[in-house]
Each structure stands twice: as structure tokens, then as C-alpha cells.
Amino acid sequence: MNEKLSALYDAILDGNVAGAKDGIQSALDAGLEPGTILAEGMIAAMKEVGQRFEEGDYFVPEMLIAARAMQAGLGLLKPHLVQGDVKSAGKVAIGTVKGDLHDIGKNLVALMLEGAGFEVVDLGVDVPPEKFVEAIASSGVDIVAFSALLTTTMPNMKATIDAIEQAGYRNKVKIIIGGAPVTQNYANQIGADGYSADASRAVSLAQSLLQEV
Ligand code: B1M
């Protein structure tokens, strides 16, 4: 790995906020692409954090401080990932489903959607089905996006779709889902309109669904 990316990777693994920021700045100064910095220096480090957690080398506090370094780094990288002056492409309400506190992936999806000209209503984490329903009722959104990182919270995606259906909004919005344990098969199973494996594919998915309307 490039030495700048490797320093950034280590800083995120160590939960070193200042090191992560310095690492991003120095990778940008060296002319590395923001997308490469994100994928190879940052997302790869979070995967390694998960691996260490599974192996019992890291515990929740280490995951948490790595996440802080990641979030701080994303703040710095954000202006480089989004394009300026794009016209409104539609409105998306996004949230991490009930019971789930993971928000890095969800924030990244929100950031990329904004960058592509979508107006984004970020409902945060641990979002109960009724809050998604309220957002549809009050904000006139075209698309609702759910994120889940835990196998135990994935069923809340289905519960949220059911709540949207019961409230009479199912035909008014497109529903898209994602998150590490989520699959296209699961999206089909619960009746979502689409699934994407990562943030940039979430943008093309949202664009293509709105073209269908
Ligand atoms: Co958690 N955690 N965690 N954790 N955590 C995982 C998810 C885990 C896989 C770790 C592991 O065991 N290897 C595991 C889940 C196992 C499972 O269910 N299969 C796990 C666990 C077990 C837990 C706890 C239960 C631990 C405990 O307390 N014993 C607990 C649960 C808390 C809760 O939510 N109720 C917990 C807590 C935490 C922290 C709070 C410490 C922290 C989160 C901090 C935060 O988010 N602010 C944390 C972290 C950091 C992780 C790992 C290490 C990293 C997640 C991450 O940010 N990845 C994670 C391991 C892993 O994922 N490998 C793990 C980087 C991010 C960019 O990727 O979120 O996948 P990701 O998003 C991607 C795609 O998935 C996609 O696009 C994104 C960018 O390309 N995507 C979407 C995501 N959402 C989308 C929505 C879309 C489309 C695409 O809409 C259309």
C-alpha cells in the first residue's frame, strides 16, 4: 500500500483523530484521489477493526475510537468527495433502523447522495418505523433509505416497510436498503425497491429509480 495511505490506515486503526486528519491532508497534498483515500485508507481500516473485534483483539471501546477517527476524517474529506453546483435530483430520507447505532456507512451514503444533488433528510440512528413514516408525511420525500449493520436489526427494515405500507405511503416512495449484512436477496424478500452494496452505487440506484417514475 502507498505509504500515505498506510499511515492513514494505521491512524484509523489506532483511533488517532489528529493522525487521521493529517493522513488525509498529506494524501490529498500528494495528489491521491479522494475515492482512493476513502476506500483504501479509511474503509479498509474499518474492515480490519471489525476483523480484530471478531478475533477478540479489539473490544467495543477500540471500535468506538476508530469510528471517531473515521468520522473526523470523513468531515475533512467531504468537500473533496462532493461536486459543487448540482441541481436537485430528488429528496431522500435516510436513517439507520431501530436498535442499530452504526452510522458511518449511513453518513457516507448521505454524503454521496448530497454530492450528486439529492436533498437529504438524515433521521439519524436507531430510527423507529414511525419516524420514517412521519418523514414521508411531512417532508414529501421521493426515496427512503435504510441502513443496518447488525443481523439482529435487519428485520426492522421489513417492519419499517410494513409501517409505511400501513400508513398508505408505499406507492408514494421508493425504498432502498444497504449495510454490510444486507443483500439483494434480502431486499427482494422484504419488498424493497433496491439494494446497494456501497455508497456510490446507492447514488446510481437512487438516480435510476427516480428515472422510472
Ligand atoms: Co459494531 N458491529 N457493534 N460497532 N461494528 C459490526 C457491524 C460487526 C460486523 C463487527 C464484527 O463482529 N466483525 C458486528 C455485527 C455482527 C452481526 O450482526 N453480523 C458488530 C457488533 C456485534 C456490534 C455490537 C453488538 C458490539 C457489542 O456491543 N457487543 C454493538 C451494537 C450497537 C448497536 O448498534 N446497537 C456495536 C457497536 C459498535 C460501535 C458503536 C462501537 C461502532 C459504531 C460507531 C458508529 O457507527 N458511529 C461499531 C463499529 C465501528 C463497527 C465496525 C467495526 C465498522 C462499521 C463501519 O463503520 N464500517 C463493524 C465491522 C464491519 O463492518 N466490518 C461492526 C465502515 C462503513 C463505511 O461501512 O457501515 O458497512 P458500512 O457501510 C458501507 C456499506 O455497507 C453501504 O455503504 C457504506 C459505504 O460504502 N451501506 C449502505 C451502509 N448503509 C447503507 C444504506 C444504503 C446503501 C448502502 O441505503 C440504500
Side-chain angles (χ1 to χ4, degrees):
M1 194 194 293
N2 172 296
E3 72 179 46
K4 305 268 180 209
L5 293 179
S6 161
L8 171 58
Y9 182 98
D10 289 343
I12 290 186
L13 266 188
D14 295 343
N16 176 351
V17 170
K21 288 182 172 172
D22 287 349
I24 290 168
Q25 196 54 57
S26 97
L28 286 169
D29 293 344
L32 289 165
E33 285 294 324
T36 307
I37 299 174
L38 176 66
E40 295 177 23
M42 300 169 74
I43 294 182
M46 293 309 288
K47 275 201 188 133
E48 173 68 22
V49 171
Q51 187 72 31
R52 291 188 183 188
F53 178 74
E54 258 173 51
E55 288 164 1
D57 291 336
Y58 268 22
F59 298 93
V60 171
E62 283 90 354
M63 280 209 286
L64 205 51
I65 58 165
R68 276 195 206 130
M70 175 82 180
Q71 302 270 33
L74 276 181
L76 187 62
L77 201 60
K78 180 173 175 175
H80 302 274
L81 288 169
V82 302
Q83 314 142 22
D85 274 355
V86 266
K87 66 173 170 41
S88 177
K91 194 165 182 178
V92 184
I94 189 168
T96 305
V97 295
K98 188 173 177 183
D100 201 319
L101 302 175
H102 296 85
D103 67 355
I104 296 172
K106 183 264 299 166
N107 293 345
L108 206 48
V109 173
L111 189 156
M112 300 293 259
L113 285 168
E114 273 175 3
F118 285 88
E119 195 181 332
V120 177
V121 181
D122 189 344
L123 302 173
V125 296
D126 190 18
V127 182
E130 53 282 11
K131 204 167 157 193
F132 281 105
V133 172
E134 263 171 48
I136 298 170
S138 63
S139 311
V141 299
D142 307 297
I143 296 180
V144 189
F146 311 151
S147 178
L149 264 283
L150 300 171
T151 44
T152 49
T153 57
M154 280 168 63
N156 291 331
M157 293 182 152
K158 168 79 169 91
T160 308
I161 293 181
D162 290 346
I164 292 171
E165 193 142 17
Q166 273 160 23
Y169 294 123
R170 184 63 189 93
N171 295 327
K172 293 195 166 62
V173 291
K174 297 288 184 188
I175 296 176
I176 61 177
I177 66 173
V182 179
T183 59
Q184 179 64 56
N185 197 24
Y186 186 67
N188 298 343
Q189 222 178 298
I190 66 171
D193 297 303
Y195 153 79
S196 85
D198 59 42
S200 55
R201 275 179 273 193
V203 171
S204 41
L205 174 64
Q207 287 164 335
S208 68
L209 285 172
L210 289 190
Q211 270 163 18
E212 279 175 19
V213 180

